[in-house]
Amino acid sequence: MPTSSDIILDIRGLSVRFDTDDGALTVVENVSLCLPRGAVVGLVGESGCGKSVTALSVLRLLPAPAGRVTAGEIWFEGEDLLRTPPDRLRRVRGQRIAMVFQEPMTALSPLHTIGDQLAETWRLHRSASRAEARTEALKWLRRVGLPDPEERLDARPHQLSGGMLQRVMLAMAMMLHPALLIADEPTTALDVTIQAQILDLMRQMKERDTAILLITHDLGVIWEMCDTVAVMYAGRVVETAPVNALFQAPAHPYTRGLLDAVLSLGAPARRLKDIPGQVPTAGQYPPGCRFHPRCPFAFDRCRVEKPPLQDVGNGQAAACFLAGQWAGNRSGDPP
Amino acid sequence: MISSINLSKPLLQVEALRTWFPILRGVFARAVGQIRAVDGVSLHINAGEALGLVGESGCGKSTLARTVVGLEHPTDGRIYFDGLDLLRASRQTMTRARCRLQMIFQDPYSSLNPRLTVMELVTEGLLAHGLIEPAARRDAAVAALREVGLDADALSRYPHEFSGGQRQRICIARAMALRPALVICDEPVSALDVSVRAQVLNLLNDLREQHGLAYLFISHDLAVVRHMADRVAVMYLGRIVEEGPAATVLDQPGHPYTRALVSATPVPYRPRQNRLVLPGDVPSASRPPPGCRFHPRCPFATLACAEIEPALERMATRISGHRVACLRRNELEPSPPL
Ligand SMILES: Nc1ncnc2c1ncn2[C@@H]1O[C@H](COP(=O)(O)OP(=O)(O)OP(=O)(O)O)[C@@H](O)[C@H]1O
Ligand SMILES: Nc1ncnc2c1ncn2[C@@H]1O[C@H](COP(=O)(O)OP(=O)(O)OP(=O)(O)O)[C@@H](O)[C@H]1O
Ligand SMILES: [Mg+2]
Ligand SMILES: [Mg+2]
C-alpha cells in the first residue's frame, strides 16, 4: 500500500529476532516510525535498546541467518523494502538511501583510493567518464571540508583519521542526493569540533530535502538536529514526540529519567538525578512494561500488562499508563 | 610553623613537564622524530580540590596523567606530590606516595585483570602495600564494596559478570581502598550510558566529600567537567591554553579554542543559534605549527599569531586564577552567554 507522498519512510510494527546461544531473542518489538520528506528524526536510547538493529532492518543488512525480521512492513517511496527483490534493493540502497555508521572504515574498501571509491559511486549511478567522475569526487571532498582534498583523492582509507573518513562517507552520501540518509552514531567516535563539521553537513543534506534517521545516545545532538524523536527502551519505542515537546514535557518516566541525568554547561546541581538500576539485557526483559523495575511510579498493572503507545496530543505519544497525566507537566511530581 | 607552610603548598605541582615519544623507523628503530604528547605543562592541584582537564583526542591528557602516576617517563620537568619530588624520590618513597595517588581509567574492561575475583581485585593494593593482613582481606573487601554501593555477593565473582557501570564501581573501590589523597580519573564515564553515568558521577562526588579527596578529572566532555570540577584547564596539542575557575572558563572563555569547544558542544535546552564551526583538523603532535599552535584553525588569528608563541597570562577582567595563552585575549568580544 503506497503511503502519503510526504512520507519518505514508514516503518510499521517491525519486530526482529536473533538466534543466539540463549535461544531466539526478540530484540526489537513492534517498532513503528515515520519520516516525512526532509525531516530529521532522532532515534535515541541506551546501549542495546535496538537502535542499530532497527536501522539495519531498513537496509535489509541484518546479519543472516541469525537475525531476521519476524513482523512488520517498511515502506519507502511506495514499496515495502522487506518484499523488494535483491537486485532492485541494491539499487535503492545505493541511489535513494545512503548510510553512515560509527565506524566508517568498515564501509570503505581498504584497497582502493578515496578518489576511486567516490568516482566509482558516481559512475555507478550517473553516466560519466572517468575524468568527469574524478572531478566530481574532488568537488565533493572539497564541499565536505576535507583538508588538502587533491592529495587525499589518492589516499587510501587507513591514511585518514576517523573524522576525515566520516567526511568522505558524507561526501559519498551527498553526491547522489538521496531521499533518505540513515546515520547510526555518525559522530560518536569524533571530537566535538569535528562533530560540529559533520552535523553541519547533515544540515545541508536536510536543506536539500533529504530525510535523515539519526541514531545517537547523545541527547544534546538530538536537541540540536532533530524535528521529531523516538525514544527506545529494551527493544520497544516508549515515546515519540516533536523535539521541543519531548524535552519540555516528556510523557514517559524513562524519557524523564534520561533528561534528568543530562548535564548542562551551566551551574551544576549538586547531585544528579539518576535512574536506579540498569538496562535489562535482551532475553531478560521483565513482563508488563519493561521499564517498571526502575520506574518510581510503577503500580500493579505495569508489572503484568504491556502499555500501548497512547496519543497524548500534539504529535506526542508514550507507552505508559500514566502518559495522559504526565503530558504538559515538566515538574518532578507524580501525576 | 612547618605544618602551616606545608598546608599552603599544593598537593600536586607539575612544572614544565614534557613527555615526548620517539617516532621509530626502519630495522634499527632509528628515531626520525618526536611526538610531543605533553610539551611544557605546568599545573597544580590543592588538597581537596577537583581540577578538570579537557581537550580533544590526542592532545595529551592521558599522557600527562600517566606521567604523573609514573606509567610514562617524562622527557623533562618536575612533579611534586605531597611535598615529594616524584622524579627524584627513592623507590621506597615512591611506593608510599603511589598509594596516596591513584588512577581510574576509561575502560573498566581492560583495566581489571579478568582472572581475579572481585575480592582479590579490590584488596590487591592493600596487601601489596602491607596495609592489611591476609586474614583481614574479606572484611576489607566488603567495606570497600559497600563504599561504592556493591553487595558482598560480588566478592567471589569475576569482572566479566558485571555491567560497565558496575565494573567502573569495582575500579573505584579498588582505588579508594588505599585511602588516596588524589585520584586521577581518566575519562571515567565516557564508556557509560547516560543513566549509569549519573550514578557514577554522584558516587565520585560523594566519595570526594566524605574523604576530602582531590581529583584530576579528565574528560573531553565539557558538561561532565563542569559538573565535577572546581577549576578547569584546557589542553591543545600538548599545551595548556586556558585555565581558571570552572564557571569562568566555560561561561566566559578567553581562548578562541575554548570558545569553539563551548560553542560546538551540543547541549539540550540551549538556543540553537549558529555555531562556531572550526575548519580543519587538529594538527599532528610531531610537527606542531609555529607560533600559537591553534593559529591555523583560529578565526581570530593575525600574522603575529603565526610567529609568537603566547604564554598563559591573566585576562584584563582580573578574575582570580583565570589565565589564557592568546595574544588577542583582551581584544576579542566576549562570547555570547549560553
Ligand atoms: N548479531 C547479533 N547477534 C545476537 N544479538 C544481537 C546481534 N546484534 C545485536 N544483537 C542484540 O540486539 C539488541 C539490540 O542491539 P543494537 O545493536 O540494535 O543496540 P543499539 O541500541 O544500537 O545499542 P548501541 O547504543 O550500543 O549501539 C542487543 O541486545 C544486542 O545484544
Ligand atoms: N606510548 C606511546 N607511544 C607513542 N605515541 C604515543 C604514546 N602514547 C600516546 N602517544 C601519542 O601522544 C599523543 C597524545 O596522546 P594521549 O593519549 O595522551 O591523548 P589524549 O588527550 O588522552 O586523547 P584521547 O582523548 O583520545 O584519550 C597522541 O598523538 C598519541 O598518539
Ligand atoms: Mg548501535
Ligand atoms: Mg586519553
Side-chain angles (χ1 to χ4, degrees):
Chain A
M1 188 182 70
T3 47
S4 133
S5 67
D6 269 357
I7 300 299
I8 284 293
L9 180 72
D10 191 359
I11 303 176
R12 296 182 190 167
L14 177 74
S15 293
V16 178
R17 192 182 296 165
F18 271 101
D19 291 321
T20 69
D21 295 344
D22 303 329
L25 304 179
T26 296
V27 299
V28 163
E29 189 183 278
N30 196 20
V31 164
S32 296
L33 267 183
C34 204
L35 271 75
R37 184 184 306 281
V40 181
V41 174
L43 193 54
V44 69
E46 293 178 285
S47 190
C49 70
K51 305 181 296 293
S52 296
V53 167
T54 303
L56 291 173
S57 308
V58 174
L59 301 160
R60 295 248 310 260
L61 290 175
L62 285 175
R68 83 204 128 82
V69 173
T70 50
E73 296 165 14
I74 298 175
W75 290 92
F76 173 75
E77 294 191 324
E79 62 187 312
D80 182 356
L81 293 181
L82 294 177
R83 279 148 195 99
T84 302
D87 50 337
R88 164 139 187 87
L89 186 73
R90 262 194 300 276
R91 236 186 359 262
V92 171
R93 218 151 48 195
Q95 211 161 350
R96 304 299 298 152
I97 306 180
M99 48 210 160
V100 285
F101 299 114
Q102 180 172 343
E103 287 300 330
M105 201 67 161
T106 57
L108 292 163
S109 154
L111 300 175
H112 299 98
T113 65
I114 299 298
D116 284 350
Q117 297 190 53
L118 278 169
E120 227 12 69
T121 307
W122 183 251
R123 272 161 60 81
L124 212 59
H125 300 284
R126 307 271 192 280
S127 54
S129 72
R130 275 178 196 286
E132 283 165 349
R134 196 176 155 87
T135 312
E136 196 68 20
L138 181 60
K139 176 178 114 187
W140 283 101
L141 287 184
R142 199 170 280 138
R143 276 280 287 273
V144 298
L146 197 73
D148 310 318
E150 287 89 355
E151 279 168 48
R152 296 277 151 56
L153 213 47
D154 297 317
R156 280 167 227 281
H158 72 267
Q159 294 169 299
L160 271 60
S161 71
M164 289 183 196
L165 288 176
Q166 207 59 293
R167 273 168 282 179
V168 171
M169 289 309 297
L170 275 162
M172 207 173 263
M174 290 172 87
M175 76 195 304
L176 294 173
H177 193 185
L180 172 65
L181 171 73
I182 295 183
D184 189 354
E185 307 269 6
T187 58
T188 302
L190 306 178
D191 279 324
V192 282
T193 63
I194 307 300
Q195 167 170 277
Q197 296 176 8
I198 301 288
L199 296 182
D200 218 41
L201 292 171
M202 299 206 324
R203 271 187 213 107
Q204 290 174 30
M205 290 186 79
K206 173 190 164 70
E207 271 154 30
R208 295 174 71 209
D209 256 357
T210 297
I212 302 176
L213 179 61
L214 176 58
I215 295 177
T216 174
H217 60 265
D218 185 331
L219 287 159
V221 171
I222 291 278
W223 168 260
E224 294 265 327
M225 295 294 295
C226 296
D227 300 304
T228 58
V229 187
V231 182
M232 285 185 79
Y233 184 79
R236 292 183 188 154
V237 171
V238 296
E239 177 159 7
T240 58
V243 68
N244 287 338
L246 187 94
F247 282 86
Q248 261 122 36
H252 194 285
Y254 176 61
T255 315
R256 199 168 265 257
L258 281 184
L259 292 174
D260 283 339
V262 157
L263 297 164
S264 79
L265 290 181
R270 215 190 63 77
R271 249 189 115 66
L272 287 166
K273 280 197 215 160
D274 60 23
I275 306 176
Q278 61 193 71
V279 181
T281 49
Q284 285 160 17
Y285 291 147
C289 170
R290 287 177 177 171
F291 186 60
H292 87 254
R294 305 177 74 190
C295 181
F297 312 111
F299 54 105
D300 288 344
R301 193 177 170 198
C302 310
R303 296 183 242 280
V304 289
E305 198 182 325
K306 193 189 293 187
L309 264 183
Q310 295 185 50
D311 198 343
V312 297
N314 301 320
Q316 188 168 12
C320 173
F321 294 121
L322 301 174
Q325 285 116 294
W326 282 121
N329 128 45
R330 178 74 179 91
S331 71
D333 303 323
Chain B
M1 269 329 266
I2 288 169
S3 67
S4 74
I5 292 169
N6 270 338
L7 274 181
S8 66
K9 260 200 188 154
L11 180 63
L12 176 76
Q13 176 105 33
V14 171
E15 285 173 8
L17 193 72
R18 292 201 150 80
T19 306
W20 292 7
F21 299 106
I23 307 171
L24 305 175
R25 286 278 153 72
V27 269
F28 302 109
R30 219 161 36 89
V32 295
Q34 300 281 338
I35 297 169
R36 305 175 179 194
V38 174
D39 200 20
V41 166
S42 299
L43 55 80
H44 71 275
I45 301 176
N46 295 318
E49 188 185 40
L51 174 70
L53 184 62
V54 295
E56 291 182 287
S57 187
C59 71
K61 306 181 295 297
S62 296
T63 305
L64 174 60
R66 293 169 57 81
T67 310
V68 170
V69 299
L71 293 170
E72 303 288 355
H73 194 76
T75 311
D76 196 13
R78 293 287 180 96
I79 304 169
Y80 301 95
F81 175 69
D82 240 359
L84 294 169
D85 182 340
L86 284 192
L87 301 177
R88 282 165 187 77
S90 68
R91 194 166 273 274
Q92 258 182 331
T93 325
M94 271 302 276
T95 314
R96 246 180 303 129
R98 222 23 91 54
C99 190
R100 311 238 309 135
L101 175 56
Q102 289 292 312
M103 185 154 169
I104 297 167
F105 299 88
Q106 165 172 5
D107 189 356
Y109 298 74
S110 59
S111 56
L112 292 173
N113 183 338
R115 281 185 291 273
L116 297 185
T117 64
V118 169
M119 179 168 90
E120 289 164 337
L121 285 166
V122 166
T123 52
E124 203 182 13
L126 286 170
L127 279 176
H129 288 286
L131 297 173
I132 54 165
E133 295 298 319
R137 201 165 190 178
R138 200 190 143 82
D139 288 345
V142 170
L145 289 181
R146 193 181 306 125
E147 281 230 286
V148 299
L150 289 177
D151 286 340
D153 41 294
L155 283 178
S156 54
R157 291 159 66 193
Y158 291 88
H160 72 263
E161 299 174 54
F162 295 88
S163 71
Q166 289 171 320
R167 267 186 272 221
Q168 199 56 288
R169 284 177 197 267
I170 297 169
C171 294
I172 295 170
R174 199 173 129 86
M176 297 299 170
L178 292 160
R179 291 282 166 264
L182 173 65
V183 180
I184 299 185
C185 308
D186 190 359
E187 307 267 11
V189 295
S190 304
L192 304 181
D193 265 324
V194 190
S195 66
V196 181
R197 180 180 73 183
Q199 296 169 3
V200 172
L201 292 179
N202 281 338
L203 171 64
L204 287 171
N205 267 336
D206 291 347
L207 290 169
R208 182 179 164 206
E209 202 160 284
Q210 282 161 26
H211 302 295
L213 290 173
Y215 284 146
L216 173 59
F217 196 96
I218 299 176
S219 177
H220 62 271
D221 185 333
L222 293 186
V224 170
V225 162
R226 176 76 168 99
H227 186 77
M228 297 301 289
D230 308 314
R231 278 193 305 125
V232 171
V234 183
M235 210 167 165
Y236 189 79
L237 264 187
R239 298 217 153 203
I240 302 233
V241 296
E242 178 158 5
E243 68 170 24
T248 309
V249 171
L250 298 182
D251 296 350
Q252 308 155 48
H255 198 283
Y257 176 61
T258 318
R259 291 167 179 241
L261 280 185
V262 170
S263 170
T265 302
V267 192
Y269 306 106
R270 190 154 59 137
R272 306 177 185 92
Q273 83 273 33
N274 285 335
R275 296 267 172 264
L276 171 58
V277 178
L278 286 181
D281 293 275
V282 181
S284 152
S286 58
R287 275 172 292 127
C292 169
R293 292 173 185 210
F294 184 60
H295 88 261
R297 299 175 80 196
C298 182
F300 309 109
T302 59
L303 286 176
C305 300
E307 286 167 11
I308 304 166
E309 170 131 39
L312 271 177
E313 280 176 275
R314 292 182 68 179
M315 299 282 290
T317 46
R318 310 201 136 260
I319 290 165
S320 167
H322 189 205
R323 300 192 307 154
V324 174
C326 171
L327 294 179
R328 305 193 61 196
R329 65 190 180 283
N330 289 321
E331 292 168 36
L332 306 176
E333 290 281 304
S335 44
L338 298 179

